[in-house]
Amino acid sequence: GQQVMQIPQYQHVQEGEDFTTYCNSSTTLSNIQWYKQRPGGHPVFLIQLVKSGEVKKQKRLTFQFGEAKKNSSLHITATQTTDVGTYFCAGANMKTSYDKVIFGPGTSLSVIP
Amino acid sequence: NAGVTQTPKFQVLKTGQSMTLQCAQDMNHNSMYWYRQDPGMGLRLIYYSASEGTTDKGEVPNGYNVSRLNKREFSLRLESAAPSQTSVYFCASSAARIFEQFFGPGTRLTVL
């Protein structure tokens, strides 16, 4: 079945450094979503990418969807302590599993002030 | 708008006990989901409901049952709790199956 992987599992950065997390799917995706979960909280939707090669920006966050629609990345420029949390990607393949969105295991980001 | 609400927030059960986790949303969403979250494993889909009156199994349905009571409410039942079901349970809803999901605050369940 479809699998979604993320690397790294954990990342510790100094405040002000950049951060990138990568998401890879075993199958071609119809779309990919990114969520952020603060410690002790619940996942909160950040963005959805649909088109091959799509790039979207939200302030210091840049999201990319690969040309083959099998991978994605989230890049944070100049991290701040407010960026602490776990970042999940979630993908769906409408051709094989229309109903299900599969979440990756997440990347936990720690920011050292 | 309360969004997605879940009750209870915390629960401790003994092995073999049963309980129902309640979830409600006030966004008029068609789709609702139950996930469990365990350390290092992300969110795993237990059951989902694409519309009122329909439910389908997700990745890890064994040991659970669900009821889509109406468009607003989607409950998760553990008939005979086991220690392996110790987890954080999240309910979510979305306007359609592969669109943005809104999550509830979660239920932290411990089975002794």
Side-chain angles (χ1 to χ4, degrees), chain A residues 4-6 9 86-89 103-107, chain B residues 37 40-43:
Chain A
V4 176
M5 290 79 69
Q6 280 184 257
Q9 188 175 0
T86 301
Y87 293 85
F88 295 97
C89 63
F103 278 78
T107 295
Chain B
Q37 184 174 36
M41 302 197 70
L43 293 153

Side-chain angles (χ1 to χ4, degrees), chain B residues 64-94:
Chain B
Y64 305 94
N65 286 302
V66 290
S67 294
R68 184 75 183 265
L69 304 169
N70 47 54
K71 192 170 187 179
R72 289 187 64 249
E73 298 171 289
F74 189 36
S75 63
L76 178 72
R77 182 159 178 85
L78 287 70
E79 290 291 351
S80 180
S84 60
Q85 294 178 305
T86 293
S87 188
V88 180
Y89 291 85
F90 287 103
C91 176
S93 71
S94 68

